[in-house]
Amino acid sequence: MACRTVGRALLTALVVLLAGCGPGEPAGPFPPRPADIDTATVDLCTALTAEQQDELGVDPGESWAEQHSDGPTRICGWSNFDDGYNYTVQTLPTPAAAAVGAPGSTVQPVEGYGSVRVTDHEESLPLCELYLDISDSAALRVQVQATARDENGRHVSSEQVCSRATTVSSQVLQNLRDAPA
């Protein structure tokens, strides 16, 4: 009886050990990345092409830097004052997995990358943020906010804002992944 218990314990330990060593296992809740994106060198204002900016009705992006609680961050923002949508792409010195578990967050894939979707101000000025898993130590945050009301005087739904955020995130990932290093 004691031999069976010891044997089961050893077998269980071996299974646990081998399960953690499998190839291609994603860290955390995300799939394996198609490629890492180096946030230290990327020009965030090239995250959207001129054609994509035209489609969104925005002028070339405006860049700036700030100090985030975890380190320096760079930002590029675009605004469409006609339809009331604002777009921001920001480097974050923390991995996207840090956003998992935020109130109302959901994990979803975008262009093969993991992302965490977080919404805020759903009843006033809807904001949708996607934290994109682009490396082990950093993330990109794409934010889309609707500041205007629709033709009936109501705030735009957070689903509409998040739909735009997902589309813009897809474009950003394609453009930055394919950018020359």
Side-chain angles (χ1 to χ4, degrees):
M1 181 82 153
C3 287
R4 280 190 186 166
T5 304
V6 171
R8 286 185 194 155
L10 286 174
L11 180 60
T12 301
L14 182 61
V15 168
V16 169
L17 179 64
L18 292 176
C21 296
E25 292 293 318
F30 304 127
R33 287 177 216 101
D36 284 0
I37 297 173
D38 182 4
T39 60
T41 60
V42 69
D43 177 0
L44 293 178
C45 288
T46 65
L48 295 173
T49 66
E51 181 179 277
Q52 291 163 341
Q53 291 173 40
D54 285 345
E55 289 173 9
L56 294 173
V58 298
D59 290 328
E62 183 178 325
S63 65
W64 68 96
E66 292 180 356
Q67 185 63 31
H68 189 270
S69 60
D70 294 321
T73 180
R74 294 178 303 112
I75 304 163
C76 188
W78 303 264
S79 293
N80 181 324
F81 297 104
D82 293 330
D83 71 4
Y85 278 93
N86 297 314
Y87 307 89
T88 306
V89 177
Q90 179 179 13
T91 62
L92 295 175
T94 55
V100 172
S105 68
T106 57
V107 175
Q108 65 185 45
V110 177
E111 291 298 315
Y113 290 83
S115 77
V116 181
R117 174 181 144 175
V118 179
T119 57
D120 202 2
H121 308 296
E122 292 183 57
E123 300 301 318
S124 58
L125 301 175
L127 170 71
C128 187
E129 303 174 300
L130 270 73
Y131 293 81
L132 306 173
D133 178 45
I134 50 95
S135 80
D136 288 341
S137 61
L140 281 177
R141 177 170 56 191
V142 174
Q143 296 177 309
V144 176
Q145 185 164 32
T147 59
R149 297 175 185 264
D150 68 13
E151 61 276 351
N152 297 319
R154 294 184 301 237
H155 292 289
V156 178
S157 76
S158 61
E159 282 306 312
Q160 289 173 293
V161 177
C162 285
S163 176
R164 281 191 187 222
T166 300
T167 298
V168 169
S169 293
S170 177
Q171 293 169 333
V172 164
L173 286 168
Q174 289 174 17
N175 296 336
L176 295 181
R177 181 184 60 217
D178 298 337

